[in-house]
Amino acid sequence: MSITNTPTSNDACLSIVHSLMCHRQGGESETFAKRAIESLVKKLKEKKDELDSLITAITTNGAHPSKCVTIQRTLDGRLQVAGRKGFPHVIYARLWRWPDLHKNELKHVKYCQFAFDLKCDNVCVNPYHYERVVSPGIDLSGLTLTSSGPSSGPSSAMMVKDEYDFDGPQSLPSIDGGHSIQTIQHPPSVGCPTPSEPFATPNLLPPAEASTSAATSSFPAIAAGSGTPDYWCSIAYFEMDVQVGETFKVPSTCPIVTVDGYVDPSGGDRFCLGQLSNVHRTEAIERARLHIGKGVQLECKGEGDVWVRCLSDHAVFVQSYYLDREAGRAPGDAVHKIYPSAYIKVFDLRQCHRQMQQQAATAQAAAAAQAAAVAGNIPGPGSVGGIAPAISLSAAAGIGVDDLRRLCILRMSFVKGWGPDYPRQSIKETPCWIEIHLHRALQLLDEVLHTMPIADPQPLD
């Protein structure tokens, strides 16, 4: 369906539902999504202006202003769809914007007149009348740490249970110490227009920083004599925890590189995994390798943003801090399943650069605060000395160069996934995977480390 064929409120419900289904984010089953969208369209059929507002909002990814889209509030505030109950604004925000949204993460925009928390008789379910509120990993203002790692205690376990207790995924992810990792799905837009940014993004960056093509002048000057890298990335291939073959370097003159399962290399823009031998290869690895097929394309845009296109007949699984952040998750907290034919951005250079600076500054501040805590010198009311306050800061103070380097690396598994949804808990347990080192990002990291060394922290005065 082309953009010019976008339906209007005068079209049949079936046509409208089909169009809106094309823009769903894939977090819910097709059956649930269709039921939810059909229900909404039927309720809006007599309110043509609101139905047109919904169509405009969804088909343009919120690019154009749209009015409130309202349904009647129920007695308990919840809406029942396909035997499941949930808050209506959350249901539709999950369908079209954030598939893993928590019910307490939405805040309405100022111009929304019927927002859920205004408790009007009608409730606005326009997903673009709400913003997602994502808590930062570390609050520097109080020098306290909110760890993104495994946590313990009843509060974290209750939070995970609360997130899925009414209208979350039908199969719950595994919970280890209250820490939830789940596979976030990224389906292709079959039969639908492919926007320049296929998946809607929350307003986490200012507009200037959200651009996919960054000007060179946006970043600090690189050390004298280094220029822009000769190679934009290096790709290492692994089977389980063993690297197989040599690292493949992609020249900056080849912005698109294909990684496939065949045996016919044709230059610097193609890395063929089929030709690589491994004396320790098992039958299970061999079977998985047979399904790599056409593999994936990696595309470098602008100065260093990276997009992935899945050419294989099987999904690939990606570890991407950019996608984690777009989904409102802590870095490394999710695995992203990219379906065949999907084309999706997996790395943003500007965002990575900002994270480098923030984490380096956090490490400096936390290390200094930790030293001050041991000495009993934390300023502020009710401060106490001793080891307990220092322990709460130890994770932030422990951020090192390796942690920052991870921001510049993508990992991708072919055919087999990992995480609590799968038998394999780590990518190193998957049969065939690649690690992609992004050279421009590593250059920027080198610059950050030169201007803001994170070693040898000094205590606060």
Side-chain angles (χ1 to χ4, degrees):
M1 180 182 294
S2 68
I3 293 176
T4 56
N5 289 333
T6 300
T8 70
S9 58
N10 293 321
D11 286 300
C13 285
L14 190 62
S15 299
I16 300 172
V17 170
H18 173 75
S19 176
L20 297 181
M21 280 286 288
C22 287
H23 295 270
R24 66 191 181 94
Q25 292 299 300
E28 297 286 1
S29 69
E30 183 174 355
T31 301
F32 178 87
K34 189 173 182 181
R35 292 278 292 276
I37 295 173
E38 282 178 343
S39 171
L40 180 57
V41 170
K42 288 177 180 177
K43 289 175 182 175
L44 296 174
K45 208 54 172 124
E46 301 303 318
K47 298 189 284 188
K48 292 185 179 297
D49 58 334
E50 293 190 21
L51 183 52
D52 282 325
S53 283
L54 175 70
I55 294 169
T56 297
I58 302 307
T59 57
T60 66
N61 290 332
H64 300 296
S66 52
K67 300 176 183 177
C68 284
V69 177
T70 62
I71 60 175
Q72 189 170 2
R73 179 186 291 271
T74 60
L75 289 176
D76 66 354
R78 297 190 297 171
L79 179 69
Q80 181 162 323
V81 177
R84 292 160 53 190
K85 277 196 168 186
F87 295 117
H89 63 313
V90 176
I91 289 177
Y92 293 106
R94 279 180 177 163
L95 276 180
W96 285 307
R97 295 196 72 181
W98 306 290
D100 65 333
L101 179 73
H102 183 274
K103 66 179 181 181
N104 295 325
E105 289 179 338
L106 286 183
K107 180 181 74 172
H108 67 272
V109 296
K110 292 180 181 178
Y111 51 82
C112 183
Q113 298 177 325
F114 299 94
F116 180 83
D117 54 351
L118 295 181
K119 302 193 183 305
C120 302
D121 290 339
N122 291 322
V123 177
C124 178
V125 294
N126 185 337
Y128 292 93
H129 276 205
Y130 296 89
E131 295 175 345
R132 188 172 190 177
V133 180
V134 181
S135 58
I138 297 173
D139 177 12
L140 278 181
S141 61
L143 287 174
T144 58
L145 178 71
T146 304
S147 173
S148 62
S151 56
S152 60
S155 59
S156 57
M158 287 175 65
M159 180 191 71
V160 173
K161 180 179 184 299
D162 186 49
E163 182 172 359
Y164 295 99
D165 63 357
F166 62 104
D167 60 349
Q170 293 183 2
S171 58
L172 297 184
S174 300
I175 298 172
D176 180 11
H179 185 51
S180 167
I181 305 179
Q182 71 181 94
T183 307
I184 298 176
Q185 302 179 44
H186 300 273
S189 299
V190 180
C192 305
T194 303
S196 57
E197 294 269 353
F199 298 93
T201 58
N203 299 324
L204 293 171
L205 296 176
E209 293 190 1
S211 170
T212 57
S213 58
T216 305
S217 60
S218 305
F219 298 101
I222 301 300
S226 60
T228 300
D230 293 333
Y231 301 93
W232 70 266
C233 77
S234 298
I235 307 172
Y237 170 65
F238 292 83
E239 293 177 357
M240 307 295 279
D241 61 349
V242 176
Q243 182 174 348
V244 178
E246 297 182 358
T247 299
F248 184 86
K249 294 185 177 181
V250 184
S252 295
T253 53
C254 296
I256 299 179
V257 61
T258 302
V259 183
D260 60 36
Y262 302 127
V263 294
D264 184 23
S266 57
D269 63 347
R270 188 173 170 201
F271 185 18
C272 291
L273 306 180
Q275 64 183 330
L276 302 177
S277 60
N278 177 10
V279 295
H280 302 294
R281 184 173 293 154
T282 64
E283 185 178 345
I285 294 174
E286 193 64 67
R287 283 199 305 269
R289 280 169 51 84
L290 291 175
H291 294 290
I292 295 174
K294 295 180 181 179
V296 296
Q297 274 186 346
L298 304 173
E299 181 176 358
C300 181
K301 290 189 176 184
E303 191 177 350
D305 294 354
V306 179
W307 293 65
V308 166
R309 187 187 302 276
C310 182
L311 304 176
S312 173
D313 292 333
H314 297 267
V316 294
F317 298 81
V318 178
Q319 184 182 71
S320 160
Y321 287 179
Y322 168 77
L323 288 179
D324 292 343
R325 184 178 173 108
E326 294 300 282
R329 305 296 286 269
D333 196 30
V335 179
H336 300 269
K337 184 177 183 180
I338 300 181
Y339 284 82
S341 301
Y343 178 61
I344 183 170
K345 184 177 181 180
V346 294
F347 180 81
D348 185 283
L349 186 64
R350 287 172 177 267
Q351 185 189 93
C352 178
H353 183 231
R354 191 171 75 172
Q355 284 181 291
M356 288 175 194
Q357 294 174 315
Q358 289 175 340
Q359 288 198 21
T362 295
Q364 280 192 315
Q370 185 181 21
V374 173
N377 292 333
I378 287 187
S383 297
V384 294
I387 196 66
I391 291 175
S392 69
L393 296 163
S394 60
I399 294 173
V401 175
D402 285 345
D403 298 288
L404 296 175
R405 280 180 60 85
R406 290 190 188 100
L407 299 174
C408 312
I409 295 172
L410 295 167
R411 286 177 160 185
M412 182 183 306
S413 170
F414 295 96
V415 186
K416 300 292 186 181
W418 77 96
D421 295 343
Y422 298 90
R424 299 157 294 274
Q425 296 306 301
S426 162
I427 194 172
K428 294 184 178 181
E429 298 173 32
T430 62
C432 41
W433 59 281
I434 56 176
E435 185 171 84
I436 305 145
H437 290 243
L438 304 171
H439 293 190
R440 182 66 178 109
L442 289 167
Q443 271 192 330
L444 291 174
L445 174 58
D446 187 61
E447 179 70 18
V448 168
L449 294 176
H450 275 88
T451 57
M452 189 186 295
I454 61 175
D456 303 322
Q458 298 299 316
L460 296 174
D461 292 333

